C-alpha cells in the first residue's frame, strides 16, 4: 500500500475527514494528519482531547479485501503497529483490549476504527491518537494518561513517529490481508498484551457488566472471559478494566 499524507493545521476530526474522502472515492493509503482537532472522537462517543501539538492525530483510509467476519481484526493489527512504533522509541507498552496502549496502566494511545459503505465498496478508517506530551491535559485526564515525552524524557520527533507508524501500519495491514493473516494478527496482538489471557477484569458493555478472567481471543478478535459464575462470555464491544487482586 502506498501511503499519501494530507496535513492539516486544524480540523474537526481526522477520522471524519478520512471517512468523507473515502466516501468521495479516495484510494486506500490516504493518511490525514492534523496538528489540532476541534472535535476529536474517541470510542463509545467520547471526546478525544486534541490540543495543538499535544498529540499525533492520524487517520488512514483502507479498502480491506478480507472476509467481513475478520474486519474487527483491523483494529488489532493497528494496535500491533502502534505497539511496535512505541517500542522503536524505547517505550514498552501493553495492549488493553480492544485497543488502548498503556504504560504502567496509564493510557498513551488509543485507536478508533470505523467503516463506511462507498461506491467502491466498504472502506475502513483507522484513527490513531498518540499522546506526545500531556502537560496541559485537563487534570482528570492527566492522572490517567502518559505521553512519549514523559516516558522518554525527551521532546518527541513527530516526523519520525509518523514515518515509523505508517510503515508499521502498512506492514501489519499487509500481514492481515495475506494467507493465514487473521490467525497471525491475533497471535501478534496476544504476544504484546497482558490482557489476552489470565487477567482478572471487569467489562462494562452496552447491556451490563461482567467480571471474570480473560481467556483468549476469538477468531474475529472478540475477547473471551471466563466469568466468576464459570461460563465463557464472548465480548464484542465493551470497556475492560483490570481488577486488582
Ligand atoms: C479511544 O481510545 O477512545 C480512541 C481514540 C482515537 C483518537 C484518534 S485521534 C485521530 C483520530 N481522529 C479522531 O477523531 N479520533 C481518532
Amino acid at each position: 500500500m502506498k501511503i499519501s499524507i494530507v496535513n492539516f493545521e486544524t480540523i474537526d476530526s481526522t477520522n471524519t475527514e478520512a471517512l468523507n474522502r473515502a466516501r468521495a472515492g479516495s484510494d486506500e493509503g490516504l493518511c490525514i494528519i492534523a496538528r489540532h482537532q476541534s472535535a476529536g472522537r474517541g470510542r463509545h462517543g467520547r471526546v478525544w482531547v486534541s490540543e495543538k501539538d499535544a498529540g499525533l492525530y492520524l487517520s488512514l483510509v483502507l479498502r480491506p479485501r478480507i472476509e467481513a467476519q475478520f474486519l474487527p481484526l483491523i483494529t488489532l493489527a493497528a494496535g500491533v503497529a502502534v505497539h511496535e512504533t512505541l517500542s522503536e522509541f524505547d517505550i514498552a507498552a501493553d495492549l488493553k483490549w480492544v485497543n488502548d496502549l498503556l504504560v504502567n496502566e496509564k493510557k498513551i494511545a488509543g485507536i478508533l476504527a470505523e467503516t463506511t459503505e462507498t461506491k467502491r465498496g466498504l472502506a475502513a478508517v483507522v484513527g490513531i491518537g498518540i499522546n506526545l506530551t500531556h502537560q496541559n491535559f485537563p487534570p482528570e485526564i492527566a492522572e490517567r494518561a502518559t505521553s512519549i515525552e514523559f516516558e522518554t524524557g525527551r521532546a518527541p520527533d513527530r516526523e519520525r513517529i509518523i514515518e515509523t507508524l505508517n510503515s508499521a501500519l502498512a506492514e501489519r495491514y499487509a500481514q492481515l490481508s495475506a494467507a493465514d493473516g487473521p490467525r497471525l494478527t491475533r497471535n501478534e496482538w496476544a504476544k504484546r498484551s497482558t490482557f489476552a489471557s489470565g487477567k482478572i477484569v471487569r467489562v462494562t458493555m452496552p447491556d451490563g457488566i461482567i467480571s471474570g478472567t480473560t481467556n483468549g481471543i476469538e477468531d474475529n478478535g472478540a475477547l473471551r472471559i471466563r466469568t466468576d459464575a464459570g461460563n465463557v462470555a464472548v465480548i464484542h464491544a465493551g470497556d475492560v478494566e483490570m481488577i486488582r487482586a
Side-chain angles (χ1 to χ4, degrees):
M1 173 174 57
K2 187 181 153 292
I3 293 188
S4 72
I5 297 178
V6 176
N7 280 298
F8 287 83
E9 279 294 303
T10 183
I11 199 165
D12 49 358
S13 152
T14 55
N15 259 38
T16 304
E17 180 70 18
L19 285 165
N20 287 340
R21 289 191 183 217
R23 286 183 202 111
S26 75
D27 287 336
E28 162 165 285
L30 173 69
C31 175
I32 308 288
I33 301 179
R35 292 180 65 186
H36 166 258
Q37 296 185 117
S38 57
R41 296 189 281 112
R43 289 172 53 236
H44 307 305
R46 296 188 192 119
V47 168
W48 185 258
V49 175
S50 309
E51 294 303 325
K52 187 172 176 193
D53 293 331
L56 180 67
Y57 317 119
L58 174 152
S59 301
L60 182 64
V61 173
L62 302 174
R63 295 198 175 272
R65 287 162 295 273
I66 57 177
E67 275 178 55
Q69 59 161 326
F70 295 131
L71 286 172
L73 293 172
I74 291 176
T75 196
L76 274 71
V80 171
V82 177
H83 188 280
E84 287 178 313
T85 302
L86 293 172
S87 63
E88 279 291 311
F89 292 83
D90 302 321
I91 296 172
D94 192 9
L95 273 164
K96 179 165 81 74
W97 194 90
V98 59
N99 247 342
D100 286 348
L101 280 291
L102 308 180
V103 181
N104 297 325
E105 294 168 34
K106 296 195 169 200
K107 185 152 167 170
I108 192 164
I111 297 169
L112 175 66
E114 299 178 290
T115 55
T116 184
E117 282 302 336
T118 78
K119 287 193 192 111
R120 294 177 60 186
L122 183 106
V125 164
V126 178
I128 297 173
I130 302 181
N131 300 335
L132 298 176
T133 172
H134 70 297
Q135 284 169 16
N136 297 329
F137 276 18
E140 66 283 8
I141 299 182
E143 68 193 25
R144 288 179 285 115
T146 189
S147 59
I148 294 191
E149 181 183 62
F150 183 82
E151 296 301 328
T152 61
R154 295 189 293 275
D157 180 342
R158 195 169 178 274
E159 289 314 308
R160 220 186 108 218
I161 298 170
I162 292 169
E163 224 172 88
T164 312
L165 178 60
N166 272 338
S167 76
L169 283 168
E171 205 174 297
R172 292 301 170 184
Y173 177 57
Q175 177 177 56
L176 173 62
S177 310
D180 209 20
R183 190 183 63 84
L184 293 170
T185 300
R186 284 194 309 273
N187 288 349
E188 291 295 337
W189 191 91
K191 224 162 71 180
R192 292 169 172 81
S193 172
T194 67
F195 282 79
S197 70
K199 190 87 139 190
I200 303 171
V201 295
R202 177 175 38 232
V203 187
T204 308
M205 297 165 300
D207 55 352
I209 295 181
I210 62 164
S211 336
T213 306
T214 60
N215 191 228
I217 304 293
E218 292 277 291
D219 286 359
N220 63 0
L223 179 67
R224 274 196 303 270
I225 307 273
R226 184 166 292 282
T227 66
D228 298 339
N231 309 318
V232 173
V234 175
I235 312 294
H236 296 275
D239 266 333
V240 175
E241 275 171 275
M242 177 173 102
I243 300 178
R244 278 167 219 288

